[in-house]
Amino acid sequence: MRITDRPAKALLWVASSKRDYKAFPPAVQERYGFELYLAQLGSYPPSAKPMKGFGGGIFELADEFDGNAYRAIYAVRFEKAVYVLHAFKKKSKRGIKTPKTDIDLIQRRLKDAGADYETRFPPERKP
């Protein structure tokens, strides 16, 4: 099976993640757009790294552009959708660790994504 033969999952954005993503430089948006599309197809994007502490299925895209660091966090743990949980320009210049405020935000948005998924894609009832 070729990658393009797979049905793509829906790409859904939580809270301000799409607006924040649209503030990224066009080159970063283009790269992340392709990598999110790969995630929709069930592939592993080249710059994706698993996020620790979330129980699996949460990944981070990381890019450096024009001296700035950009991050997009997304969830693939849902069967029919990929949720973009957070998109931000990393401000800390020391260390690679994601700031606690961002981790807390990702955690809240992951819960919101779970609630949205259950509403948007209810389990099919068997006759």
Side-chain angles (χ1 to χ4, degrees), residues 108-127:
R108 284 193 310 273
R109 288 183 176 180
L110 181 58
K111 287 179 186 174
D112 292 344
D116 178 79
Y117 186 81
E118 289 190 14
T119 301
R120 197 181 291 254
F121 302 101
E124 294 179 19
R125 297 177 194 226
K126 295 182 181 176

Side-chain angles (χ1 to χ4, degrees), residues 56-123:
I58 309 299
F59 294 89
E60 173 184 50
L61 299 177
D63 196 9
E64 302 284 329
F65 182 80
D66 200 25
N68 294 302
Y70 297 90
R71 303 287 186 264
I73 314 300
Y74 67 95
V76 296
R77 62 172 56 165
F78 304 100
E79 182 181 347
K80 298 178 181 177
V82 172
Y83 280 88
V84 180
L85 304 172
H86 190 29
F88 61 103
K89 180 177 166 182
K90 190 167 179 277
K91 294 180 172 67
S92 173
K93 296 299 179 190
R94 53 189 166 96
I96 60 171
K97 192 171 183 179
T98 303
K100 182 172 177 6
T101 54
D102 289 308
I103 295 294
D104 292 344
L105 180 67
I106 293 163
Q107 192 70 46
R108 284 193 310 273
R109 288 183 176 180
L110 181 58
K111 287 179 186 174
D112 292 344
D116 178 79
Y117 186 81
E118 289 190 14
T119 301
R120 197 181 291 254
F121 302 101

Side-chain angles (χ1 to χ4, degrees), residues 45-59:
S47 76
K49 295 181 281 186
M51 295 277 302
K52 294 179 183 169
F54 292 98
I58 309 299
F59 294 89

Side-chain angles (χ1 to χ4, degrees), residues 5 8-9 11 40 43 45 58 73 85 120:
D5 291 339
K9 293 181 176 185
L11 182 65
Q40 286 179 268
S43 248
I58 309 299
I73 314 300
L85 304 172
R120 197 181 291 254

